[in-house]
Amino acid sequence: MRTWAVAAVAGVLGLGLACGDSEQSPPPALPGEPQIPAPPEPPSKPEPEPGPFSCEDLLPAPVSPVSRDIVTGFNDSCELHPAMDGAGNLAYAAGYAGYGTYRWYVRSPEWSPLNSFISRPTPDLWPQAHGFQTVSLICGGATSGIEFEAFDGMGQSLTTVGLGNYSGCDGAEFHDAADPAGGTVVAWVRPTSGELDERQRELKVQRFDGTGQTRFAAVTVATWLLGAQEQLAVVVGTDVQGRALVLWNGDAFFGAGTTAGRWLDAQGAPLTPIFQAQVPSLGSASMSRALTPLIGGGLVLQLDGMWTRSFASGVSSASAPPDWLAQRRGRLEIVRGGRAYALLPPTPSAPVCTQQVEVLAPDGTSCGVMTFETEPGACASDPLVLGADGTILQQQPLAHLLENGMNGCIEKWWPGILH
């Protein structure tokens, strides 16, 4: 704007001089005469300080929902959360495929069947701009271990990467999270191969992009001897600056009941030494854990639904979570092109017929609440899910069995509402 304004003023002055204004430009100096210095430029005005965050344009207008019935079989139901990629392709799990696996089906935005694939039970299928990614634990047989797999928007496998082999699944502990730049970050603890002491453990992290290609290969974050009473627990996350933070039980480093942490840069190189993360404990492996990205950088830790600590990007210390977030419950997502947050409700403890999403400005100012109602006759027991294109997805059981006696569920979504 400043450049345009200066050019406009110069044009007006030039027009005035051509029309005979009294102010004239100095004539060019003759040879041997001293040069007349040009008048000094007026001092530039400082850039205005950014004002408070505004809710303008952050709360979206209502959109009409789409609803589809899903047939799952005689004994099956929609047990896993659906996912929608950035192109509007919907993946849903409808049917147990045997040997601890589920069959996922993929539909186009026009509801045309595209493909199906089988995966191990996993709480999350991470949607990408085009396709989906998953991390699962395979137990039993020669292929026991942790496996990353990427699928395209048609549901066809792009790549499969084994991340850790185990004898059965003893000592296996891993955590995976969506990458805000697209892709997945995975951290896992495994016995160190070739060591004489079977208590030796190593913690590794690997990061994948949105197509399933490696952003950085597996790097070893720490090694230690597992204590007799030590419980394995790990959580990992990537912030919007591309830095990854991994936290794990720090008994071997800082004493019982402590938590250790380490930041890695976008290429997987250590940004910090191992530090005490000032988190009392990550709890047992069964406790739900998440490191959620914040707008601008950094991550906030959530344990069993409670926001506990905040980590500035690349800094080896922790602080209290933001005041605006500390007392709120639910899952925090960055939406609206990185300009806002959406606070999705936690998993309901009992079926609910309405679910609400709060939209917040980057400073935590509440911009309003959106209400999403289930279809008549049935209420939802699953949490709302955010698609990669900003779609809100809601899954609920059918109100009654289908005519042929089969079970099913209802997938309902609000296309691109938080895009």
Side-chain angles (χ1 to χ4, degrees):
M1 290 296 292
R2 176 178 295 132
T3 302
W4 177 89
V6 170
V9 172
V12 174
L13 289 177
L15 180 62
L17 295 175
C19 294
D21 270 6
S22 58
E23 183 176 352
Q24 299 290 327
S25 299
L30 297 176
E33 289 186 340
Q35 297 287 333
I36 301 174
E41 292 286 336
S44 60
K45 294 181 180 180
E47 292 289 342
E49 293 292 328
F53 290 107
S54 171
C55 284
E56 186 177 0
D57 299 328
L58 295 185
L59 191 67
V63 300
S64 298
V66 179
S67 179
R68 294 286 187 269
D69 290 353
I70 305 295
V71 178
T72 58
F74 289 105
N75 299 312
D76 300 318
S77 60
C78 297
E79 296 184 15
L80 306 180
H81 303 160
M84 183 172 285
D85 74 0
N89 299 309
L90 176 67
Y92 58 90
Y96 182 65
Y99 298 101
T101 63
Y102 285 84
R103 181 171 294 279
W104 292 82
Y105 295 87
V106 183
R107 297 266 187 163
S108 73
E110 298 75 30
W111 204 240
S112 300
L114 297 178
N115 205 351
S116 68
F117 59 89
I118 293 175
S119 80
R120 273 70 184 174
T122 175
D124 294 293
L125 188 68
W126 303 118
Q128 306 300 316
H130 297 280
F132 311 91
Q133 295 180 2
T134 182
V135 181
S136 55
L137 180 62
I138 306 168
C139 295
T143 58
S144 294
I146 299 165
E147 185 176 87
F148 165 85
E149 190 164 10
F151 302 89
D152 65 14
M154 299 281 291
Q156 297 175 340
S157 180
L158 292 172
T159 184
T160 301
V161 180
L163 300 179
N165 297 321
Y166 300 88
S167 175
C169 284
D170 294 339
E173 169 65 9
F174 76 97
H175 185 265
D176 58 297
D179 191 319
T184 303
V185 61
V186 192
W188 68 97
V189 179
R190 63 181 298 273
T192 304
S193 59
E195 294 291 338
L196 295 177
D197 194 328
E198 63 181 12
R199 299 175 301 155
Q200 186 81 26
R201 294 293 183 270
E202 63 180 357
L203 170 62
K204 288 182 173 288
V205 174
Q206 186 162 347
R207 190 175 170 213
F208 301 90
D209 68 14
T211 66
Q213 298 302 304
T214 297
R215 287 193 191 273
F216 62 73
V219 295
T220 300
V221 176
T223 59
W224 69 95
L225 287 177
L226 187 68
Q229 304 299 320
E230 183 178 349
Q231 297 190 69
L232 290 175
V234 62
V235 59
V236 69
T238 305
D239 75 357
V240 297
Q241 297 186 31
R243 296 166 174 167
L245 173 65
V246 58
L247 304 174
W248 68 98
N249 283 354
D251 296 24
F253 298 88
F254 305 107
T258 61
T259 298
R262 196 169 201 180
W263 281 96
L264 307 175
D265 67 15
Q267 289 73 45
L271 271 176
T272 66
I274 297 171
F275 63 91
Q276 187 170 349
Q278 300 169 317
V279 176
S281 175
L282 291 180
S284 64
S286 62
M287 176 181 285
S288 67
R289 298 180 294 276
L291 278 167
T292 299
L294 296 172
I295 293 173
L299 297 156
V300 60
L301 175 65
Q302 190 177 35
L303 297 176
D304 269 354
M306 304 290 292
W307 303 103
T308 60
R309 304 297 283 172
S310 182
F311 297 85
S313 186
V315 177
S316 57
S317 61
S319 59
D323 291 341
W324 57 267
L325 182 60
Q327 300 306 315
R328 284 179 162 92
R329 297 293 175 265
R331 301 185 323 282
L332 193 68
E333 302 275 4
I334 297 177
V335 296
R336 309 293 276 168
R339 298 182 297 119
Y341 294 109
L343 188 71
L344 278 66
T347 301
S349 56
V352 293
C353 299
T354 60
Q355 293 172 293
Q356 292 186 323
V357 173
E358 184 179 14
V359 177
L360 303 108
D363 65 348
T365 300
S366 180
C367 298
V369 173
M370 302 181 297
T371 299
F372 300 91
E373 297 184 353
T374 62
E375 291 294 283
C379 296
S381 299
D382 292 330
L384 294 176
V385 176
L386 180 69
D389 64 344
T391 293
I392 289 289
L393 297 102
Q394 185 185 66
Q395 183 170 270
Q396 62 190 90
L398 290 173
H400 51 78
L401 294 178
L402 301 175
E403 292 182 1
N404 55 10
M406 289 192 176
N407 287 327
C409 63
I410 299 172
E411 301 289 0
K412 185 176 182 179
W413 64 93
W414 288 258
I417 190 170
L418 287 171
H419 182 67

